[in-house]
Amino acid sequence: MSTRRSDEFEELRPLLFAIAYRILGSVAEAEDAVQETWLRFSSVQTRPASTKAFLSAVVTRISIDVLRSARVRRETYVGQWFPEPLLADPYADPARSAELADSVSMAALLLLERLTPLERAVFVLREAFGFGFAEVAAAVGRSEAACRQLTVRARRHMDVGRPRFEADRHERDELAARFFDALRDGDVAALRELLAADVQMVGDGGGKAPALANAVSGAANVARLLASVFPLVFRTDMSLERREVNGQPGAVLRDRDGNVAGTVTLDVLDGRIQMIRSVANPDKLGHLGPVADGWAIARAVQRARRPRA
């Protein structure tokens, strides 16, 4: 295998992962799709006219096939399903920075779940990455006219609940910093002030880690719950590492040994937090590092709840 072909692939790897992740909502599955793309590329005898077009088409078709089988598994998923958290998007394009940021958010990825695998692939290539319809058609094996129709249908579905986020990045991050400070202090009043009246808090444990059984709604309810739980969490030597998660303000929770216990993501709009999503399912955290034992942490929190002698 020529070094040149390997170099070409590595140069395009961030783009291929970015496409696959947006179609699949899974870091592990996206990485597998990229690896399968490399295996197919390395076995091609004839050099493609456009390496980018060829690889984009291959990773898209692989991702569509994987998504179809993943949809079946998700039907039996325990509790709320969220995408695997992504701390850093490896692909950047200054000309499409807004589209790329919006398309990787948890809210957008959950909306994409409403689409068929083919609609999702076409929407991602066209709307997030700006592929021309000829390129999209070649990637998914449909006519340009069919891809235009798929795009219109996908936009219609997405526009119903398209997420909006705080436009001013500085204000968004400042509000998030205040939120996490209040979380550490267990300050109910400060938390409530930062939450939208109809805020929701939802967790994904997949039945494999402690998580909310149902969404908690309303500023007062969410503030009380956060203030009652997180001070106890921190008493067990848990730490909270501020990070951007899926392009939005968030944090990674770690146990005393630095193992990943979960992530928290905030949707911010109009100076208030609209949605709080947490992911604790250990199957979705392995790409972030060694994973903590969520049940052990829950037992430690229960012990911390008991009055001290």
Side-chain angles (χ1 to χ4, degrees), residues 133-180:
F133 278 111
E135 297 173 293
V136 175
V140 301
R142 296 291 191 278
S143 68
E144 287 188 45
C147 288
R148 291 179 188 276
Q149 291 178 338
L150 287 165
T151 301
V152 169
R153 285 208 303 267
R155 282 176 181 160
R156 191 180 302 127
H157 285 299
M158 294 294 288
D159 286 345
V160 171
R162 188 182 291 274
R164 294 184 301 133
F165 303 111
E166 186 67 61
D168 189 310
R169 191 182 189 90
H170 175 73
E171 288 185 13
R172 182 197 74 175
D173 292 343
E174 184 178 274
L175 185 146
R178 290 165 58 200
F179 170 81
F180 287 117

Side-chain angles (χ1 to χ4, degrees), residues 239-260:
S239 63
L240 189 148
E241 173 188 329
R242 284 280 314 281
R243 294 292 298 269
E244 194 169 84
V245 183
N246 287 81
Q248 302 303 314
V252 177
L253 289 167
R254 298 183 183 275
D255 69 10
R256 66 180 66 192
D257 299 316
N259 299 320
V260 179

Side-chain angles (χ1 to χ4, degrees), residues 226-292:
L226 290 171
S228 67
V229 172
F230 272 87
L232 297 174
V233 169
F234 295 128
R235 277 171 56 183
T236 67
D237 294 331
M238 293 279 290
S239 63
L240 189 148
E241 173 188 329
R242 284 280 314 281
R243 294 292 298 269
E244 194 169 84
V245 183
N246 287 81
Q248 302 303 314
V252 177
L253 289 167
R254 298 183 183 275
D255 69 10
R256 66 180 66 192
D257 299 316
N259 299 320
V260 179
T263 62
V264 177
T265 313
L266 309 177
D267 289 356
V268 178
L269 180 66
D270 297 332
R272 294 289 186 273
I273 294 166
Q274 308 287 327
M275 175 70 75
I276 303 170
R277 295 185 180 89
S278 63
V279 176
N281 184 342
D283 294 345
K284 297 184 177 184
L285 303 174
H287 61 285
L288 304 180
V291 179

